[in-house]
Amino acid sequence: MFRTALRTVLAHKARLLMTVLAVMLGVAFVSGTLIFTDTLGSAFRNQSSKSYKDVAVSVTSYDLRESDDPEDRKAGPGLGKATMDRIKALDGVASVTGRVVGFAGVADPDGKLIGDGWSNTGSNFSPGENGKDPAYTFTDGSGPREDGRIALDKDTAAKGEYKVGDTVRVATNGPVKEYTLSGVFTTEDGAVNAGGSLVLFTPEVTQKLYLEPGYYESATVTAAPGTSDAALLTAVEKLLPKNAEAETGDALAEKQAKDIESGLSGLNQMLLAFAAIALFVGVFLISNTFTMLVAQRTRELALMRAVGASRKQVKRSVLVEATIVGLIASVIGFALGLGLAIGLRGLMDSFGAKIPAGPLIVSPVAIAAALGVGVLITVFAAWLPARRAAKIPPVAAMSSVHAVATTKSLVVRNSIGLTIALLGAAGILTGANIGSDGRFILAAGGFLTMIGVIVLIPLLSRPVIALVRPLLVRVFGVSGKLASQNAVRNPRRTGATASALAIGLTLVTALTVLGVTIGQAIDQMTTDNIKADYMASMANGSPLDPSALSALEKAPGVSAVSPQQGVDLEIKGEYESASAVTPGDIEKVFNLTTVSGSLGSLSGNALAVAEDTAKSKGWKTGDTVQVKYTDGKTADLEIGAIYQGNEFLSPLLISQDLANPHETKQFIREVWVKMDGGASSAHEQALVDALGKNPAITLMDQQDIRNQTSGLINTALNIMYGLLAMALIIAVLGVVNTLAMSVFERQQEIGMLRAIGLDRRRVKRMIRLEAVVISLFGAVVGVGLGTFLAWAVGQTIKNAIPGYALFMPWDRIALFLVLAALVGVLASLWPARSAAKLNMLTAIKTE
């Protein structure tokens, strides 16, 4: 039986090619994902170990200057000189290096920020007795020795085209300053490898910028020869203030390695999820292929039964064929997975996220997963066809070329499918009604619904395709009529082929509808809430320096300016979020609808409250509320206005004049600016100039604000489309496979049609139309189910997104249907050509 299975595989190489391709793509994604994440994890772990190779003990401190406990505040902002000196004096300490880290943005020659803002950092150059800092290797010049000098990492210097001796403009959390470049270095710093920048200042400048003179945030301790890290850790811990903690370099490296693995797990799971989708789609193609192969070999299998082969042997023969095919596909897929892993690594490098050098890691788990998944999926998909083949009685099989599905089997299938689909739909509706807490129920319901619809697709094919039959007949005549009849001749085959497209388009449609709907809601929220022409904020998300607000107020052409300054107020023992704003200007930069009172009251000793908050607290205009500021002082504020909530503001508004005397440091999230005559390039340049051409401050107009969110959504959608494309490619292979085998089975019929006058052109058209009908049928099912899922998911998130209302992107849905039709046309090219080239006399004699 093994020899028979092997002979069968070799005899049907062309027909099994599609199955090999489907399994191969899925296995490539699985193995490529595992190899890629293992390689990344290994590279970052090695980098982490290298970074802490000479570190015996690492000390980290916390800034307690704003603590509520006076005793905590005495500990200071970090590690002071006295603590550092005591650590240096310990026996076994070779050296102690202090570090301070903060935000530092470097401007390119055009004044634009180099890097993305979030990973642009500044730190200090701390040379040892040899004049070198072990954390940095200088390729040109040296580290800064004077306050007016800095050093840059090699990539940032290259992007800015800076050379030693050039003047570099650097922004921290204050005004831009100019420094002379003293050196260029390479580093294993994670922020730089993530595509950011690193600026090195002198220790004195760094402390002044980010902490306080004489203090460090962290320190690394190197041990003298013969001193154990554990012993040194114990000694160091005894000298630390209450706002500091220590751990060995090895422990810190291991901790970072675990953090890296945790960070990569999300990417790993996402890629594996799409690999699972591709393999799930491939199951239908594989099952379809083996079903048709078994049907074509019915007489052969019956003869084997007649000469003594048992049912188990026949079943085993088909499963051995599947194992051989799965093994071949897995080996090829694993080789492709290696290429995919290398390609993903190069892709990340091209996006500026540098991955540390390291070998490609091919673990036994990746090899076992690739071979195991490929073989198991193929055998699983072939099991049902193998079972059907074994159940065919020898006499019945020898009297009929094809085994016809019994009415009982179809009834059982449809009953099971309907039950599963109804249970799934109930789960979806239940999850949607529960809201955000019902997402797991909804996900389970969505999975069951998809399975149920797939089981029911053969039943659905007849009525759905019957609807388009009159159109096909009217437009394409005999070819259209034959195509529609052929499409429903074998509902199981049509259903299995359409299922692959339906799964892919269900996911694509659901993601598209959700993405576009969220984008529309955010776009509407921007239009409804903002009057300002520009919003100024820090590129790294940190608060703006008050000097930026003063500069914008003085800029030419400005008609109104208000900050969105975060303030915490304690009311009746509970902390409430408030925004400190500029009275008189706040209503000029935001659309604020007053329910009662007047926003003009903010210029006095008053408070404005959002309508929902006022209702929940039982407040009304004229009520007096006692508030406690962050400095502990209290005040009685009158509610001067109640307004409809604005998503860009906190639910409580007070005047800056009331808040600032109680704030040690103003937390200005952003500044909103209204210009005379609206937004224009001249006005934008005036604001840029007023801010001192600060590269760290981002100016955005209303369209930029919309684009920021919609851009993220579109990027996410494009990534999803790219990943789901693999599932759609497998679906295309399924259509090709189905049509090719259909043509093979219908050789005699096609020969008869040719004999009675159907020319080659019409034969080709018949096959093409059959492919288009099957593809569009799957697409329609997918679009319908995807829209239903998008609506349900939207019900669980609508409360978190103001103005959320389901929006149907008809243009994209129409494009999906057009692409599905195009898939059908492309998939039919080879089968249609094969059908048209059949010799009619030979075809008529075919059994």
Side-chain angles (χ1 to χ4, degrees), residues 24 27-29 31-33 35-36 332-342:
M24 180 184 73
V27 169
F29 221 92
S31 57
T33 297
I35 293 169
F36 175 64
I332 300 172
F334 183 76
L336 286 176
L338 287 171
L340 179 63
I342 295 170

Side-chain angles (χ1 to χ4, degrees), residues 307-330:
V307 298
S310 66
R311 286 187 175 185
K312 286 185 177 180
Q313 286 178 311
V314 171
K315 182 178 178 181
R316 195 180 303 140
S317 171
V318 177
L319 293 179
V320 168
E321 291 176 38
T323 302
I324 294 170
V325 172
L327 194 60
I328 293 170
S330 297

Side-chain angles (χ1 to χ4, degrees), residues 31 95 101 165 193 216-217 273 330 683 698 778 797 820:
S31 57
S95 66
V101 178
N193 285 325
Y216 291 97
E217 283 182 338
S330 297
H683 281 153
T698 302
I797 63 174

Side-chain angles (χ1 to χ4, degrees), residues 129-376:
E129 293 180 358
N130 60 359
K132 295 182 179 180
D133 189 326
Y136 311 107
T137 302
F138 280 82
T139 59
D140 192 13
S142 62
R145 306 278 183 174
E146 301 172 11
D147 289 355
R149 293 179 174 271
I150 60 165
L152 292 177
D153 68 272
K154 187 177 179 180
D155 288 342
T156 301
K159 291 174 185 176
E161 301 178 356
Y162 291 122
K163 296 180 175 58
V164 173
D166 288 350
T167 298
V168 182
R169 300 175 71 250
V170 180
T172 52
N173 287 334
V176 180
K177 294 183 180 180
E178 293 186 345
Y179 299 87
T180 300
L181 184 62
S182 66
V184 177
F185 59 88
T186 59
T187 178
E188 295 295 330
D189 187 275
V192 175
N193 285 325
S197 63
L198 178 59
V199 183
L200 295 182
F201 305 92
T202 62
E204 294 76 18
V205 170
T206 314
Q207 291 169 345
K208 184 177 179 181
L209 285 172
Y210 304 125
L211 213 55
E212 277 188 7
Y215 284 92
Y216 291 97
E217 283 182 338
S218 62
T220 55
V221 182
T222 56
T227 304
S228 74
D229 293 353
L232 198 55
L233 174 65
T234 302
V236 169
E237 285 180 327
K238 295 177 181 178
L239 304 177
L240 297 180
K242 65 183 302 182
N243 65 330
E245 59 184 29
E247 56 189 327
T248 63
D250 290 340
L252 190 59
E254 181 63 26
K255 182 180 177 181
Q256 284 199 356
K258 290 181 179 179
D259 289 342
I260 289 166
E261 289 178 2
S262 176
L264 291 174
S265 65
L267 174 65
N268 191 33
Q269 291 169 7
M270 183 184 74
L271 293 175
L272 287 177
F274 284 100
I277 292 169
L279 289 169
F280 184 58
V281 172
V283 165
F284 296 96
L285 189 155
I286 298 164
S287 181
N288 223 10
T289 301
F290 278 94
T291 297
M292 288 183 277
L293 285 175
V294 167
Q296 291 169 13
R297 294 166 50 213
T298 303
R299 286 187 176 181
E300 176 189 331
L301 294 173
L303 183 60
M304 291 170 60
R305 291 287 311 282
V307 298
S310 66
R311 286 187 175 185
K312 286 185 177 180
Q313 286 178 311
V314 171
K315 182 178 178 181
R316 195 180 303 140
S317 171
V318 177
L319 293 179
V320 168
E321 291 176 38
T323 302
I324 294 170
V325 172
L327 194 60
I328 293 170
S330 297
V331 171
I332 300 172
F334 183 76
L336 286 176
L338 287 171
L340 179 63
I342 295 170
L344 286 172
R345 183 169 181 165
L347 185 64
M348 288 190 71
D349 283 336
S350 68
F351 284 143
K354 292 193 305 179
I355 299 173
L360 198 67
I361 303 299
V362 182
S363 67
V365 173
I367 298 172
L371 298 178
V373 165
V375 172
L376 288 175

